[in-house]
Amino acid sequence: MINEIKYFVIIALVSFFILSCNTDRVYQKYNEIPNNVWNVENIVDFDFDIEDTITRYNMFLHVRHSGHYPFKNLWLFTTTTAPNGYFSVDTVEVILCDDAGKWLGDGLGDIWDNKIAFKKNIRFPMVGNYKLQVEQAMRFKKIPGIMDIGLSIEKKSTEN
């Protein structure tokens, strides 16, 4: 019970600080992985609306994992579907640990957050509802230690 409360407080504080610091963010959502074990059959879905086809955007994947994650990387398959049904598929490698065994990203206790630039400097070709699906592409049916998968979309500023 105490661990659950601590986990909730950490998530709430991190989310508050992330959301309050960036006014260029147009979308952010995290999906919890049940029991912190990502089954290959559990596809994570994100739905977001785009109203501006002129602005350039950066898309980021977020991976929250525990220190018990047994690998140094995480392979993902992503499918992005446009409002007209056109889709594109990508394979993304997320490096979570350096060669010396040190976790990358921001850590608090046994929880690590990684923000990965997924697509940079892009324009969405049409107004409407887009969908991004993320699935784990490791060679195991179940991978332990993955807590949440997130997506954020930010307007590209002159600095990024």
Side-chain angles (χ1 to χ4, degrees):
M1 178 73 169
I2 292 175
N3 283 339
E4 292 174 0
I5 293 171
K6 192 171 17 172
Y7 177 70
F8 176 76
V9 169
I10 291 169
I11 298 294
L13 287 174
V14 169
S15 297
F16 172 76
F17 286 117
I18 288 173
L19 290 173
S20 64
C21 294
N22 190 341
T23 59
D24 288 337
R25 184 168 293 119
V26 296
Y27 178 83
Q28 180 164 343
K29 181 180 178 188
Y30 281 84
N31 286 319
E32 183 180 348
I33 301 301
N35 301 315
N36 299 335
V37 177
W38 198 358
N39 188 313
V40 71
E41 297 166 358
N42 180 11
I43 298 173
V44 178
D45 291 312
F46 300 96
D47 288 298
F48 54 95
D49 292 317
I50 297 296
E51 298 177 6
D52 182 351
T53 60
I54 304 301
T55 300
R56 292 190 173 273
Y57 297 91
N58 293 324
M59 295 177 69
F60 299 93
L61 292 171
H62 299 263
V63 176
R64 183 173 291 132
H65 67 91
S66 74
H68 301 294
Y69 182 70
F71 308 105
K72 70 181 248 176
N73 66 346
L74 173 65
W75 285 96
L76 304 171
F77 293 139
T78 65
T79 304
T80 307
T81 306
N84 66 355
Y86 174 78
F87 66 93
S88 64
V89 177
D90 291 295
T91 303
V92 179
E93 180 183 19
V94 178
I95 304 295
L96 299 173
C97 181
D98 68 15
D99 290 335
K102 181 178 181 278
W103 292 117
L104 304 174
D106 296 323
L108 185 59
D110 191 37
I111 299 172
W112 295 90
D113 285 306
N114 291 269
K115 179 179 180 181
I116 300 93
F118 170 52
K119 293 186 178 188
K120 295 177 83 176
N121 196 28
I122 64 166
R123 283 191 179 129
F124 290 97
M126 62 191 65
V127 170
N129 182 262
Y130 288 77
K131 178 180 233 178
L132 177 73
Q133 294 182 307
V134 181
E135 54 188 298
Q136 66 102 333
M138 300 296 279
R139 295 182 180 169
F140 302 94
K141 183 173 177 151
K142 296 178 181 183
I143 51 172
I146 300 296
M147 304 167 84
D148 299 284
I149 299 296
L151 172 68
S152 64
I153 302 171
E154 301 172 6
K155 292 180 182 177
K156 184 185 179 305
S157 68
T158 55
E159 299 168 6
N160 59 15

